[in-house]
Amino acid sequence: MKVKVKSIILQGIAVLSLSSFAFADDAETKGSKVELTVDKAIEYALANSNSIKSADIDLAMKERAGKNGWNVLLPSVNASATMNRSSDDAITSKGLPSSMLNESMHWTGVIGVSASWNFSFAYIEQIRIAKKNYEVGQLSFEKSQREIKVNIQKLFYGLLLQQESLKLSKDSLENSRQRYVQAETNYRNGAVPEIRLLQAQVAYENKKPSVSKAENEFKTSLDTFAFLLGYPVGTEIVLSGSIEPNYMDVDYDNLMNLYSGYNLDIQNLDKNIEIAKMGLTAANLGTYVPALALSYSYMPMLTNFLDADKGGYPSGGDWKDLNGSFSLTLAWNLTNLLPFSSNRQQAADTKATINKLEISRNMLLENQKINVRKAVNTLADAREQIDVMSRNIGLAQRSYEMTARSYRNGTTELLDLRDAEDQLNQAKLGLASQKFNYISALLDLETELNIDLKKVSEKSGTAEIEKANE
């Protein structure tokens, strides 16, 4: 049983360490004592998780992209201003004698304003894809939060299980000490032989190292838990809570019929399939529907603008729009219509990607059925074991008390008493372990279906589980 407790803690630490946590720079908490409930541990972990902070930034980026996805419809507007000085030869080549040249004749000013607007029906799909990517980001963020919550809860209850195991070991050590003290007193009074004293002393001394080792291991687990949560080194963690599951009746068929599609991975795949289909639609629209392009330019030119007689620059001069224009164009890339063109090949690849995503979704659904059935069976088995062990504890307690009374009366050997005590401790630890298994299976089921099983309402004799809207 001790090996199993250690395994639970190590698995929890290994999983939780996959998420990075920021360390709180709070001088008041260094070396202090912190009492943690499971809710407080989750709250602190979410507030200090670097992976959550990073996911939050990613979500904000996708949100901004989704809100501004319509910017593909904005026109392109450019403005320019140019000053150009012509050479003497350029001016005289137009027939003007060099003797009449002055500096103002060399200079020309040009102001350019142009605007173009392109439209393709594919842009509409691009806007929808940007919004859908934001929805995918929301799912990823929700999944990151849920993973941290579940990992924290499992590790927290695993630590409570380790704490319970340590408590039973300490209780057993204290019982051994009391038996040793009683045997010593009885020996001095001549009531028991020396062998009884030696047996009690050996049993007591043999328990000390294992209890000390278990206590050190538990402290190390608490220090690691504090480290993973992001508390400063030296913070003493005190666990507040108990391993008491919320029992409920769950039905596999009912759960799968109602909440199979709530799974975050399935939702993510569904949205990625939608995005891929939108991309394929955009590619087809860009291929089979011509694009519209509107263009307008205004480029007035000012000559001799340094000549005061002409009004000067910028208030006067000979302004002429020599290159202004407006155009309306329908463009259609006919090469993209060819089935072996790169455009059509990319469309074919997109279709193949959609088929692969749909296959992955079917596989995920089948895997979900296995996981949900396993969790439901584990819940039923753990509940049955809890009921059996709860009754066994009462029997083991009576057996131990009767054996202890017989030992005090000298009619039972120490070995029999130790066996009775071990059986009682195993029953108590087994009960706590099965309660942990129930809580763990319940968390796995909630994660698999992305629902909150605590919100249960009875309708027509059927347990209807409502999805948590946090």
Side-chain angles (χ1 to χ4, degrees):
M1 189 66 69
K2 292 182 179 179
V3 175
K4 186 174 182 180
V5 173
K6 292 179 184 178
S7 176
I8 291 170
I9 301 300
L10 291 175
Q11 290 177 7
I13 290 174
V15 173
L16 190 58
S17 61
L18 296 177
S19 300
S20 300
F21 291 90
F23 294 96
D25 188 13
D26 186 357
E28 294 182 357
T29 61
K30 293 180 179 179
S32 62
K33 180 182 292 187
V34 177
E35 183 175 349
L36 280 183
T37 62
V38 63
D39 292 332
K40 186 177 180 180
I42 292 173
E43 180 183 358
Y44 193 90
L46 291 175
N48 291 277
S49 170
N50 281 330
S51 61
I52 290 296
K53 292 177 181 178
S54 178
D56 193 28
I57 293 174
D58 292 337
L59 182 61
M61 292 169 60
K62 291 185 177 181
E63 181 181 14
R64 185 171 65 251
K67 287 182 178 179
N68 299 304
W70 57 270
N71 58 18
V72 296
L73 299 176
L74 288 175
S76 175
V77 180
N78 297 293
S80 63
T82 304
M83 293 180 64
N84 181 56
R85 186 185 186 283
S86 302
S87 65
D88 291 346
D89 293 338
I91 297 176
T92 56
S93 66
K94 297 179 181 179
L96 186 66
S98 59
S99 60
M100 297 180 62
L101 294 179
N102 58 53
E103 183 63 22
S104 65
M105 295 179 181
H106 291 78
W107 291 92
T108 303
V110 180
I111 296 176
V113 178
S114 63
S116 61
W117 182 70
N118 299 326
F119 175 77
S120 171
F121 285 102
Y123 292 168
I124 298 175
E125 294 302 312
Q126 292 180 17
I127 295 172
R128 295 178 61 197
I129 288 174
K131 294 182 179 296
K132 193 63 65 175
N133 278 328
Y134 171 56
E135 295 177 6
V136 172
Q138 287 178 308
L139 291 176
S140 298
F141 184 78
E142 183 181 350
K143 184 178 180 181
S144 297
Q145 284 189 318
R146 177 172 282 276
E147 286 177 348
I148 288 180
K149 289 179 181 178
V150 170
N151 292 335
I152 289 292
Q153 289 181 81
K154 285 188 176 182
L155 188 51
F156 185 89
Y157 288 113
L159 287 170
L160 286 179
L161 181 59
Q162 187 179 12
Q163 182 174 259
E164 178 67 17
S165 176
L166 176 61
K167 178 181 179 298
L168 292 175
S169 296
K170 286 184 174 181
D171 290 344
S172 179
L173 177 64
E174 176 61 20
N175 291 337
S176 296
R177 188 193 67 82
Q178 292 179 4
R179 286 194 291 267
Y180 168 59
V181 172
Q182 183 64 42
E184 189 177 32
T185 302
N186 292 339
Y187 174 71
R188 286 198 301 265
N189 295 331
V192 297
E194 185 178 6
I195 185 63
R196 292 286 294 270
L197 173 62
L198 293 176
Q199 288 175 342
Q201 184 178 7
V202 169
Y204 172 56
E205 296 296 337
N206 283 342
K207 285 183 179 294
K208 283 184 178 181
S210 60
V211 173
S212 178
K213 181 181 179 181
E215 188 170 17
N216 289 332
E217 288 176 347
F218 179 63
K219 289 180 180 179
T220 301
S221 297
L222 286 179
D223 289 340
T224 305
F225 187 54
F227 169 79
L228 292 174
L229 290 180
Y231 281 103
V233 176
T235 303
E236 183 181 352
I237 298 295
V238 178
L239 302 178
S240 177
S242 59
I243 312 176
E244 289 299 332
N246 294 316
Y247 301 108
M248 57 191 65
D249 295 326
V250 291
D251 179 74
Y252 168 79
D253 293 327
N254 186 48
L255 291 174
M256 291 300 299
N257 290 335
L258 294 176
Y259 308 108
S260 176
Y262 284 18
N263 179 279
L264 291 174
D265 290 328
I266 292 178
Q267 291 187 58
N268 189 293
L269 266 179
D270 287 339
K271 293 191 180 298
N272 277 289
I273 291 173
E274 290 182 45
I275 290 173
K277 289 181 177 179
M278 290 176 185
L280 180 61
T281 301
N284 290 335
L285 288 172
T287 300
Y288 299 113
V289 180
L292 174 66
L294 302 179
S295 177
Y296 173 76
S297 64
Y298 175 65
M299 298 184 65
M301 178 184 295
L302 173 64
T303 58
N304 299 330
F305 61 88
L306 295 179
D307 192 342
D309 294 338
K310 297 295 186 179
Y313 179 84
S315 61
D318 295 332
W319 288 97
K320 295 181 180 180
D321 183 13
L322 302 179
N323 296 310
S325 66
F326 172 77
S327 64
L328 187 152
T329 304
L330 281 176
W332 195 0
N333 190 329
L334 298 180
T335 302
N336 289 339
L337 296 174
L338 300 175
F340 47 80
S341 66
S342 61
N343 180 278
R344 290 293 84 201
Q345 290 302 305
Q346 290 178 1
D349 290 343
T350 302
K351 290 181 181 179
T353 300
I354 293 173
N355 291 334
K356 288 176 62 178
L357 290 174
E358 290 176 343
I359 292 173
S360 297
R361 188 184 189 279
N362 292 333
M363 293 175 61
L364 191 60
L365 280 172
E366 293 303 314
N367 187 62
Q368 182 193 47
K369 293 177 183 178
I370 295 174
N371 292 335
V372 171
R373 187 180 295 277
K374 177 182 177 182
V376 170
N377 291 338
T378 301
L379 288 174
D381 181 67
R383 181 65 183 271
E384 183 179 352
Q385 293 295 325
I386 289 171
D387 293 339
V388 172
M389 290 184 176
S390 296
R391 294 191 296 269
N392 286 347
I393 286 179
L395 298 175
Q397 183 69 42
R398 289 182 57 192
S399 174
Y400 171 72
E401 292 173 353
M402 294 174 63
T403 306
R405 189 161 48 248
S406 298
Y407 176 78
R408 288 194 297 269
N409 295 331
T411 58
T412 300
E413 296 294 331
L414 178 60
L415 182 59
D416 295 330
L417 178 59
R418 290 173 57 187
D419 288 341
E421 184 179 41
D422 289 341
Q423 290 174 0
L424 176 60
N425 289 339
Q426 287 179 6
K428 289 181 178 179
L429 189 57
L431 176 62
S433 179
Q434 288 300 324
K435 287 182 177 180
F436 174 83
N437 290 339
Y438 191 95
I439 293 174
S440 182
L442 206 59
L443 291 172
D444 290 338
L445 188 58
E446 288 179 338
T447 301
E448 194 66 41
L449 297 175
N450 190 33
I451 56 177
D452 187 352
L453 290 168
K454 294 179 182 178
K455 295 185 177 182
V456 178
S457 61
E458 295 293 336
K459 292 184 179 180
S460 301
T462 302
E464 181 171 322
I465 306 167
E466 300 174 352
K467 184 182 178 185
N469 296 317
E470 298 180 356

